[in-house]
């Protein structure tokens, strides 16, 4: 199964942009790239997903490399509420189940 | 009311006891999942079900069993609990839908301690 690799932790200042990287060099052509985050004492929540093109939503942007072997989650202005563990995962678009969460990146936001 | 609920939220039990964790959802989703989370290890999939008649093993199914009683209910059982099953357990639901990206919605978690 395809795996993702993320830094263990990152730090950001409040109201500055944050770029969270993810490597997925063994991604297959049918895999969607998903990002979830887990706030303290909560279950994970969906952030964004994409296949080939860059994506934007109200929470974040997702930049996908042309070869799809890496992606970057962009939080345009980090707030203290964005402090969480961010997971980059791959999901098979054909409906088959392939989801490995991994340890994620713990984001610290400084006021 | 929450869309995905888990009961109990916290449970302390002893080695060898049978434990059932319950999950209910009001989202009308067909797909349901059980995960466990250990410190520093992210989430690992235990079992998943794509509809009422479908049950599939995940990464770490040994020592666990599940029952999909209805579309809205998915229970996880530990037949004989052991201390290394102490963890935070999450239930999740999803619906493939037309978008086919299968966003998962997670419950609040059940913290299980096995003494």
């Amino acid at each position: 199964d395809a795996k993702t690799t993320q830094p263990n932790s990152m730090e950001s200042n409040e109201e500055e942009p944050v770029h969270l990287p993810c490597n997925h060099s063994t991604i297959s052509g049918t895999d969607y790239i998903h990002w979830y985050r887990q706030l303290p004492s909560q279950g994970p929540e969906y952030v964004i997903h994409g296949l080939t093109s860059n994506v934007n939503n109200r929470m974040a942007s997702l930049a996908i490399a042309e070869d799809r072997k890496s992606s970057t989650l962009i939080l345009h202005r980090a707030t203290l509420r964005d402090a969480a563990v961010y997971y980059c995962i791959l999901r098979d678009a054909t409906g088959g189940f392939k989801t490995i969460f991994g340890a994620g990146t713990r984001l610290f936001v400084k006021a | 009311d929450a869309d995905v609920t888990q009961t109990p939220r916290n449970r302390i039990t002893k080695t060898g006891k049978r434990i059932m964790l319950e999950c209910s959802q009001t989202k009308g989703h067909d797909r349901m999942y059980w995960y466990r989370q250990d410190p520093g290890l992210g989430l690992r999939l235990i079992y998943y079900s794509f509809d009422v008649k479908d049950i599939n093993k995940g990464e770490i199914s040994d020592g666990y069993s599940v029952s999909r009683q209805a579309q809205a209910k998915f229970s996880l059982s530990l037949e004989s609990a052991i201390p290394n099953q102490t963890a935070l357990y999450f239930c999740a639901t999803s619906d493939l839908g037309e978008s086919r990206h299968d966003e998962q919605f997670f419950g609040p978690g059940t913290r299980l301690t096995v003494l």
Side-chain angles (χ1 to χ4, degrees):
Chain A
D1 290 338
K3 291 176 61 175
T4 62
T5 305
Q6 300 175 252
N8 290 333
S9 65
M10 292 185 66
E11 193 173 87
S12 172
N13 294 317
E14 196 175 14
E15 300 199 1
E16 290 185 355
V18 182
H19 290 232
L20 299 166
C22 181
N23 289 317
H24 29 77
S25 58
T26 59
I27 189 171
S28 70
T30 57
D31 284 337
Y32 277 81
I33 302 159
H34 288 242
W35 284 81
Y36 282 73
R37 73 178 185 179
Q38 186 173 17
L39 301 171
S41 302
Q42 296 187 24
E45 63 177 353
Y46 168 81
V47 177
I48 200 167
H49 78 282
L51 184 61
T52 56
S53 303
N54 295 345
V55 183
N56 299 296
N57 68 19
R58 63 175 180 81
M59 291 181 71
S61 296
L62 176 61
I64 301 173
E66 195 169 333
D67 63 5
R68 297 203 335 120
K69 293 185 177 182
S70 66
S71 61
T72 302
L73 178 71
I74 302 166
L75 306 179
H76 296 286
R77 290 181 64 211
T79 69
L80 297 177
R81 293 185 69 253
D82 291 322
V85 178
Y86 287 79
Y87 297 100
C88 166
I89 65 175
L90 303 179
R91 292 207 51 134
D92 184 352
T94 64
F97 193 75
K98 183 172 63 177
T99 299
I100 307 294
F101 268 77
T105 296
R106 182 172 295 278
L107 176 65
F108 297 94
V109 180
K110 296 187 299 182
Chain B
D1 289 338
D3 294 321
V4 184
T5 56
Q6 294 183 231
T7 55
R9 294 293 312 278
N10 288 282
R11 182 72 183 267
I12 300 173
T13 191
K14 295 181 178 179
T15 298
K17 294 291 186 181
R18 183 177 187 275
I19 295 296
M20 179 179 287
L21 308 183
E22 299 188 356
C23 177
S24 294
Q25 53 114 345
T26 59
K27 299 190 74 66
H29 288 170
D30 286 327
R31 300 181 167 197
M32 298 187 73
Y33 314 83
W34 276 104
Y35 292 89
R36 68 175 277 174
Q37 185 172 39
D38 298 278
L41 292 182
L43 279 78
R44 291 183 291 168
L45 182 65
I46 306 172
Y47 272 95
Y48 62 101
S49 168
F50 281 179
D51 63 43
V52 176
K53 298 179 182 179
D54 177 73
I55 300 290
N56 304 281
K57 293 182 178 180
E59 302 172 69
I60 52 164
S61 58
D62 287 348
Y64 301 95
S65 63
V66 291
S67 173
R68 185 78 186 268
Q69 302 95 321
Q71 185 202 39
K73 296 184 182 297
F74 193 35
S75 300
L76 176 72
S77 293
L78 288 68
E79 297 301 325
S80 180
I82 56 177
N84 76 3
Q85 290 178 314
T86 293
L88 187 55
Y89 290 84
F90 287 103
C91 173
T93 75
S94 72
D95 188 14
L96 192 58
E98 293 184 1
S99 70
R100 303 196 68 79
H101 84 267
D102 207 20
E103 174 185 347
Q104 293 185 81
F105 295 84
F106 285 80
T110 294
R111 185 167 297 281
L112 176 66
T113 302
V114 183
L115 302 175

